[in-house]
Amino acid sequence: MKKLFALLIIVSFIGIGSCKKKDKEPDYCTAGAWTTQINDELTVVMNTAVAYSSNPTTANCNAYKTAMQGYINALKPFENCTLWTAQDKTAFRNALQEAEQDLATACQ
């Protein structure tokens, strides 16, 4: 679960100076605008993480995992932002893959 929180923090910082979806295309990158595109998903993740932390039930765990998967899915289109270097794209893809792998064993 610590790795998933780390992903949230890393992606939030990367997003501050990164991409924006325009016309549903991830190639329109501008500073900070993409964070508004995923704000709803991030809010749900944060709320479910707090709920699970304060009351670690199976239902809260499942809600957290569902919210986290929604957040990861919302981030995926941005891995193709044209202003990112190849190294940035690779690091982003690797972070998403690692988060999905960690999500499989979260709350155990």
Side-chain angles (χ1 to χ4, degrees):
M1 190 137 144
K2 289 180 184 180
K3 289 182 183 180
L4 295 175
F5 282 125
L7 173 70
L8 288 173
I9 293 168
I10 290 168
V11 170
S12 295
F13 284 118
I14 290 172
I16 291 172
S18 223
C19 297
K20 174 185 178 182
K21 267 202 292 194
K22 180 179 177 184
D23 299 328
K24 299 184 181 184
E25 293 292 331
D27 290 337
Y28 296 90
C29 299
T30 59
W34 81 308
T35 55
T36 61
Q37 300 290 327
I38 59 167
N39 190 48
D40 292 343
E41 290 85 357
L42 180 58
T43 299
V44 172
V45 167
M46 298 306 288
N47 290 340
T48 57
V50 169
Y52 179 69
S53 294
S54 64
N55 187 14
T57 64
T58 300
N60 285 342
C61 175
N62 290 336
Y64 170 73
K65 289 168 77 171
T66 298
M68 192 65 192
Q69 187 62 59
Y71 180 65
I72 291 168
N73 291 344
L75 289 171
K76 285 182 180 182
F78 296 99
E79 68 186 336
N80 297 316
C81 288
T82 57
L83 295 180
W84 287 6
T85 66
Q87 183 178 4
D88 291 337
K89 290 178 184 182
T90 298
F92 187 77
R93 284 184 192 116
N94 289 343
L96 291 179
Q97 289 173 352
E98 185 176 333
E100 284 187 314
Q101 290 169 355
D102 290 343
L103 194 56
T105 59
C107 313
Q108 293 182 357

